[in-house]
Amino acid sequence: MKPYDQLTAEERKSEYETLMSEYERLKARKLSLNMARGKPGREQLDLVSDILTVLSDPNDCVDAGIDVRNYGELSGLSSAKRLFAELLGTKPEQIFVGGNASLNLMYDLIAKAYTHGLRQSPRPWSREEKVRFLCPAPGYDRHFKISESFGMELVTVPMTEDGPDMNVVEAAVKDPCVKGIWCVPKYSNPDGVVYSDAVIERLAALRPAAPDFALMWDNAYCVHEIFGEFVPFRDMLSLCAAHGNADMVYEFASTSKITFPGAGVAVMASSENNLKYLEGLLTYQTISYDKVNQLRHIKYLKDKAHTLELMQRHAAILAPKFTAVLDALETQIAPLGIARWTKPRGGYFVSLYAMKGTAKRVVLLMKEAGVTLTGAGATYPYGVDPDDSNIRIAPSLPPVGELRQAMDALCICLRLAALEKLGV
């Protein structure tokens, strides 16, 4: 295989015609495959389905004298706080246990900031003339959509191999209109970056002009290794406190990719002062979250050691899928010099950078071939990738056999789009 930029015009034309024949045969197979979202596959769901039977008797529904079937305990069961504090490396009194989705907790926090203001806010954000939010990109599209849905101005911060470009962040927070930043500090979505200690220290030591600046610390993949042993991470709450920023950070996590994505438990960790303030607002919204599900998870996950053991069993299912993706790219694309990609050690995505100006074309070709990918540009604010290059690959849902078919299709589409860009 010869790098495409070394092909003659005649060679490019011949290669394109051959690939188009393969592509037409591919379309004739009428595939229906989905690699758009990081959804656990059936095998992973079956792995944890015994969680449904851990509360088999009414007597199992009492925890520390509390009948979890009844009202009460707005901030969550004490045993749930202890479990998640152990997983996150923080204190139980800094944990708020919510419903099944951390995204809901994030959205609700931003909504509270708009309607009432955060504890340090001089006024509700809805009464600010302008609100800006920092968006490290490529990043998680749903984070950006939350900010966009409230009319914020999204400010792109370039991602580096160590995390957000901190020179850009430190300059941006001097603007009092900048109210926060979205962060996925471990196995970031989609690049799989683990923030370096230096980046984490600089984030914790920020001196924003806005007194109610929110460091949105989405630790979604805190225990989600795929290759290798568990990678420890810093407790951002204590680190921020050490830098005089105890009230700045709001950390989020959930069991969505530990047990059931649709029926897990989500948590928010923050300073005790922040939690007291937010609970005062939430008391008018709900009496309590699903404590039955909290107790189910407490009994099933038990502790950090048992949870990490379970995550290694998830990794055994995921590793062959990620290997299938990386092997296909390495054998079919690497020699051509038309793309680059990440090789994550954990998380749920492989971040692919196609030839500039071709990502949208690749996604369209894949769709016509029966394979759904995340929309090109979705990992950037407003859905606009300035290079039209990044494509997020989510290998977790399809079985390995189907995934190999999807990757063969993707490699054909990458090659076709590159040849079109080079001129055929």
Side-chain angles (χ1 to χ4, degrees), residues 161-163 184-188 192-197 200 231-232 345:
E161 61 184 11
D162 294 319
V184 182
K186 185 177 176 184
Y187 305 132
S188 68
V193 170
V194 178
Y195 288 16
S196 70
D197 283 349
I200 291 172
V231 176
R345 305 298 297 174

Side-chain angles (χ1 to χ4, degrees), residues 3-57:
Y4 274 6
D5 63 0
Q6 295 181 19
L7 296 179
T8 65
E10 187 175 331
E11 286 173 330
R12 289 199 301 269
K13 182 179 179 182
S14 175
E15 173 83 344
Y16 188 76
E17 289 173 351
T18 300
L19 287 169
M20 277 304 296
S21 296
E22 291 184 39
Y23 181 68
E24 291 302 326
R25 286 194 293 272
L26 182 67
K27 287 202 295 185
R29 292 164 61 184
K30 298 187 183 301
L31 298 174
S32 181
L33 307 176
N34 194 315
M35 297 165 60
R37 287 284 166 190
K39 297 171 66 174
R42 175 66 184 268
E43 193 177 355
Q44 287 179 265
L45 301 179
D46 290 345
L47 172 67
V48 295
S49 285
D50 49 341
I51 193 174
L52 297 172
T53 60
V54 297
L55 301 180
S56 57
D57 184 273

Side-chain angles (χ1 to χ4, degrees), residues 6 16 29 50 87 92 98 104 107 116 133 139 165 197 215 220 222 241 247 262 351 387 410 419:
Q6 295 181 19
Y16 188 76
R29 292 164 61 184
D50 49 341
L87 290 175
N104 182 257
Y107 184 95
H116 294 74
F133 225 82
D165 185 325
D197 283 349
L215 175 59
C222 55
D247 295 334
S351 194
D387 291 332
L410 178 58
L419 287 167

Side-chain angles (χ1 to χ4, degrees), residues 78-339:
S78 295
S79 52
K81 294 179 184 181
R82 289 194 298 272
L83 171 63
F84 286 105
E86 184 187 10
L87 290 175
L88 294 177
T90 190
K91 302 173 184 176
E93 54 269 27
Q94 294 175 316
I95 296 286
F96 179 91
V97 189
N100 72 303
S102 56
L103 191 69
N104 182 257
L105 290 175
M106 295 177 223
Y107 184 95
D108 211 34
L109 180 70
I110 298 299
K112 294 288 186 289
Y114 262 81
T115 56
H116 294 74
L118 299 179
R119 193 177 71 85
Q120 310 89 339
S121 297
R123 65 193 66 83
W125 289 8
S126 59
R127 290 169 51 195
E128 298 284 2
E129 184 176 343
K130 186 178 290 292
V131 174
R132 298 187 174 99
F133 225 82
L134 304 184
C135 300
Y140 183 28
D141 53 334
R142 293 188 187 273
H143 285 164
F144 304 159
K145 288 296 183 183
I146 289 175
S147 294
E148 190 177 352
S149 72
F150 282 93
M152 296 184 193
E153 181 181 319
L154 310 187
V155 180
T156 300
V157 175
M159 278 290 287
T160 75
E161 61 184 11
D162 294 319
D165 185 325
M166 287 308 300
N167 291 334
V168 174
V169 172
E170 288 165 347
V173 301
K174 295 176 182 177
D175 176 0
C177 293
V178 172
K179 293 290 192 176
I181 183 172
W182 293 106
C183 292
V184 182
K186 185 177 176 184
Y187 305 132
S188 68
N189 178 351
D191 278 354
V193 170
V194 178
Y195 288 16
S196 70
D197 283 349
V199 165
I200 291 172
E201 284 281 352
R202 289 173 74 176
L203 283 166
L206 283 175
R207 290 293 180 263
D212 50 353
F213 182 89
L215 175 59
M216 302 291 280
W217 199 248
D218 185 3
N219 212 345
Y221 307 109
C222 55
V223 294
H224 297 64
E225 274 65 35
I226 297 173
F227 303 106
E229 299 298 315
F230 170 69
V231 176
F233 51 89
R234 307 284 294 275
D235 172 24
M236 199 54 165
L237 272 68
S238 62
L239 193 59
C240 283
H243 284 283
N245 285 326
D247 295 334
M248 181 176 71
V249 60
Y250 299 86
E251 182 173 12
F252 303 89
S254 79
T255 66
S256 290
K257 294 178 176 68
I258 299 174
T259 56
F260 296 144
V265 176
V267 299
M268 176 175 62
S270 193
S271 70
E272 292 178 62
N273 286 334
N274 281 349
L275 292 186
K276 183 178 179 181
Y277 171 78
L278 291 170
E279 287 166 26
L281 298 178
L282 283 165
T283 190
Y284 303 110
Q285 180 177 327
T286 184
I287 297 174
S288 61
Y289 291 91
D290 187 348
K291 299 187 299 299
V292 173
N293 200 32
Q294 291 178 27
L295 184 57
R296 187 184 290 123
H297 279 77
I298 294 159
K299 289 181 177 292
Y300 187 72
L301 297 177
K302 297 183 173 66
D303 54 28
K304 182 176 180 178
H306 189 261
T307 302
L308 292 180
E309 180 184 322
L310 171 63
M311 295 310 293
Q312 285 299 306
R313 294 163 68 195
H314 277 293
I317 296 169
L318 287 169
K321 298 184 178 186
F322 276 76
T323 298
V325 170
L326 296 171
D327 284 353
L329 293 171
E330 195 64 39
T331 56
Q332 299 183 50
I333 300 300
L336 307 178
I338 60 173

